[in-house]
Amino acid sequence: MKQTINISILVMVLSIPFALSQTRKAIPAGRYEALSGVKISHSVKGNESTLAKDSLGLFWTEVAKHIPQGRKENSFFGSGAIDANFKTFLSSKGVLESHSFDSKVNILLSDDISRDSELFKKIKTKGSLIILKDKHGLKEIISTLARYEVLVYQTEADNNYFLLKLK
């Protein structure tokens, strides 16, 4: 009888590590964003255009939240072929459009990181925003963005959108 109890206790003790190893759980959706501080959104390829517009709308909602406050006036400069709706959106938020890049500009719209790398270097005001639309993903251009904090990264079927803030 005593031997049976000892064997059953031994089996239970040996089964504890196995039982504990089976309790790992995957990181739930949204938890990665909370841990890293980077918001990531994806649109499904081949989905309807209304869904793509909605996901792009979420990106621009995040842009509106990060427009610098405490300045007398904010101004933006668009470099490249940026959609007119983006310019209209920024204008509706009280951000003035600048036709040349000068020291008052604190928001830069760009569609090519390699072409506008010199403009990126000219931004000196801490907290300035760069809204970047590029075909390259985050992994390809992360080394170029070392001076900036990535606030929002959104992948689309043909383009990637970045909201960057100067550290």
Side-chain angles (χ1 to χ4, degrees):
M1 181 74 168
K2 197 170 190 179
Q3 189 175 16
T4 316
I5 294 173
N6 287 340
I7 290 174
S8 61
I9 291 174
L10 178 66
V11 169
M12 287 186 351
V13 169
L14 292 176
S15 66
I16 290 174
F18 178 74
L20 291 177
S21 69
Q22 300 300 314
T23 59
R24 275 193 203 159
K25 295 181 181 177
I27 297 174
R31 184 69 177 149
Y32 173 76
E33 293 174 2
L35 293 173
S36 67
V38 175
K39 293 189 178 187
I40 300 175
S41 63
H42 303 277
S43 68
V44 179
K45 291 182 181 178
N47 209 350
E48 296 179 17
S49 63
T50 56
L51 180 60
K53 288 179 184 176
D54 288 343
S55 65
L56 199 54
L58 291 173
F59 175 79
W60 285 100
T61 303
E62 288 297 320
V63 170
K65 290 179 186 175
H66 290 94
I67 292 176
Q69 305 298 322
R71 280 186 63 141
K72 193 173 191 180
E73 65 180 34
N74 294 311
S75 61
F76 71 92
F77 177 72
S79 173
I82 303 295
D83 189 2
N85 292 332
F86 300 159
K87 293 180 180 183
T88 305
F89 174 79
L90 287 173
S91 296
S92 72
K93 297 297 179 188
V95 181
L96 305 174
E97 182 175 5
S98 179
H99 296 288
S100 63
F101 190 81
D102 56 14
S103 62
K104 293 189 294 184
V105 172
N106 64 336
I107 300 174
L108 175 65
L109 296 170
S110 175
D111 65 345
D112 189 0
I113 193 168
S114 57
R115 180 194 68 219
D116 295 333
S117 62
E118 291 302 316
L119 283 178
F120 288 2
K121 292 176 185 174
K122 290 181 182 179
I123 294 180
K124 304 275 189 222
T125 309
K126 186 175 181 178
S128 295
L129 296 178
I130 295 176
I131 302 166
L132 177 63
K133 173 184 170 183
D134 205 348
K135 295 194 181 301
H136 299 95
L138 184 62
K139 291 180 181 177
E140 290 94 21
I141 62 174
I142 194 71
S143 62
T144 311
L145 306 174
R147 291 181 50 206
Y148 305 98
E149 177 183 353
V150 179
L151 298 174
V152 180
Y153 168 58
Q154 178 176 343
T155 61
E156 291 285 329
D158 53 349
N159 287 312
N160 297 307
Y161 294 89
F162 302 89
L163 176 60
L164 310 170
K165 185 176 184 179
L166 186 64
K167 294 180 185 176

